[in-house]
Amino acid sequence: MIPLQAANTYLAERLAEFGVPAAGAVGSAVTFLVAFVALYLLGRLFFVPVVDRVLRRRDLDEHARRPLVKLTRIVTGFTAVAVAFTFAGFGNILTAIATIGAAATLAIGFAMQDVLSNFVAGIFIYTDKPFRIGDWIEWDGYSGVVEDISMRVTRVRTFDNELLTVPNSQLTGGVIKNPVAKQQLRLKFLFGIGYDDDIDEATEIIVEEAEKHDGIMDDPEPSVRLTELGDSSVGLQSRIWIDNPSRSDFVKIRGEYVAAVKERFDQADINIPYPNRTIGGDLQIQNVEMVEPADD
């Protein structure tokens, strides 16, 4: 078997025989390309899947597994370039990178400030785990479900089916709300009834309809508290819990629950009043004598 360095020289000599200009450079380029493609495909087809299987066998969740697999792909590509660089006779790629890097450190540092801050923020997200892939999060007036977490950005699918690409530094530099961090979500809804209606009966109906719904948890159990004496209604606040909710579950369960309570209120003649406004006072018209009567 001919060593790769010898093969590189052999290829350059054959190209020179055919009159190819710069045969040595062309031969090195071809050797580099062949070696890179072979090593990269070998890594992507065998090494990366092996790492992924090992991580799965260790029961690592997707939040932690996905960044490690991405890092493995990056290392595979860099290794393929480094080895192919050497095989092509270009010298040691690490020495070349160190030389170029020393000259460009200052410029790159200024240009990559945001990239580095997002990278560090991605490490914090990976280690602190304020949220995971599949979690519903809220921040700075935005909300959605986390679809992907990388070392630079996090991708969030909003409830309007829009994909937001959020720099990691924005998610670690402020307050972020994770309503489903504990796999349970508490919902609150304020039912208003009339002052003449029976509060105990209304409370019983609200609790019964919560207990009937399959999507509402029994433990913690539903509860109702009188929280408000409004201008036209008495406010009864219902508190219910949902297990492992998504946004669709939240909207659907709340809608079905409120509709069921409203139907029971109608059957029991419990009124849900709406605000009334009474306007009083006198209306005075000046200079009436200047108004001409209309023609018949």
Side-chain angles (χ1 to χ4, degrees), residues 14-252:
R14 299 289 77 76
L15 291 174
E17 291 178 0
F18 286 98
V20 177
V26 173
S28 297
V30 172
T31 303
F32 172 83
L33 182 62
V34 172
F36 170 75
V37 171
L39 292 170
Y40 184 73
L41 290 178
L42 181 65
R44 288 298 299 267
L45 294 178
F46 296 98
F47 183 65
V48 175
V50 168
V51 171
D52 188 39
R53 284 197 297 270
V54 170
L55 295 177
R56 290 178 184 274
R57 288 176 182 174
R58 291 180 175 272
D59 293 328
L60 213 62
D61 61 19
E62 191 175 11
H63 170 86
R65 189 177 69 250
R66 197 178 285 189
L68 292 177
V69 172
K70 288 182 179 180
L71 182 61
T72 303
R73 291 171 182 165
I74 294 173
V75 171
T76 299
F78 180 80
T79 302
V81 171
V83 175
F85 202 89
T86 303
F87 284 166
F90 294 142
N92 192 330
I93 188 174
L94 297 179
T95 303
I97 290 176
T99 304
I100 296 173
T105 298
L106 184 61
I108 293 175
F110 281 113
M112 298 187 64
Q113 283 183 355
D114 291 339
V115 175
L116 291 175
S117 65
N118 289 323
F119 180 81
V120 173
I123 294 176
F124 284 138
I125 292 175
Y126 173 72
T127 55
D128 296 343
K129 299 180 181 179
F131 53 82
R132 298 170 180 267
I133 294 173
D135 280 0
W136 159 23
I137 62 173
E138 299 177 359
W139 80 100
D140 293 339
Y142 297 96
S143 61
V145 177
V146 179
E147 284 197 351
D148 182 47
I149 302 172
S150 69
M151 287 300 181
R152 189 179 66 85
V153 298
T154 296
R155 291 177 175 83
V156 181
R157 179 74 61 179
T158 70
F159 303 121
D160 294 327
N161 202 32
E162 298 172 339
L163 183 63
L164 302 182
T165 300
V166 188
N168 287 331
S169 58
Q170 291 189 12
L171 297 177
T172 58
V175 177
I176 183 169
K177 180 180 179 181
N178 188 343
V180 296
K182 301 300 182 182
Q183 303 302 318
Q184 294 178 352
L185 175 66
R186 187 180 74 173
L187 303 180
K188 296 188 294 185
F189 191 86
L190 185 66
F191 293 96
I193 65 173
Y195 273 89
D196 296 331
D197 293 322
D198 190 331
I199 295 177
D200 292 335
E201 183 181 6
T203 299
E204 184 178 350
I205 290 174
I206 294 171
V207 173
E208 285 180 356
E209 291 305 318
E211 292 173 345
K212 288 180 182 178
H213 200 292
D214 293 335
I216 298 175
M217 299 177 62
D218 296 326
D219 184 20
E221 63 182 9
S223 63
V224 179
R225 297 290 184 271
L226 195 158
T227 59
E228 191 175 301
L229 295 176
D231 294 336
S232 57
S233 65
V234 175
L236 299 177
Q237 188 176 82
S238 171
R239 294 180 175 89
I240 58 176
W241 292 82
I242 298 176
D243 186 30
N244 195 21
S246 66
R247 178 68 177 186
S248 58
D249 292 334
F250 162 67
V251 175
K252 178 182 177 182

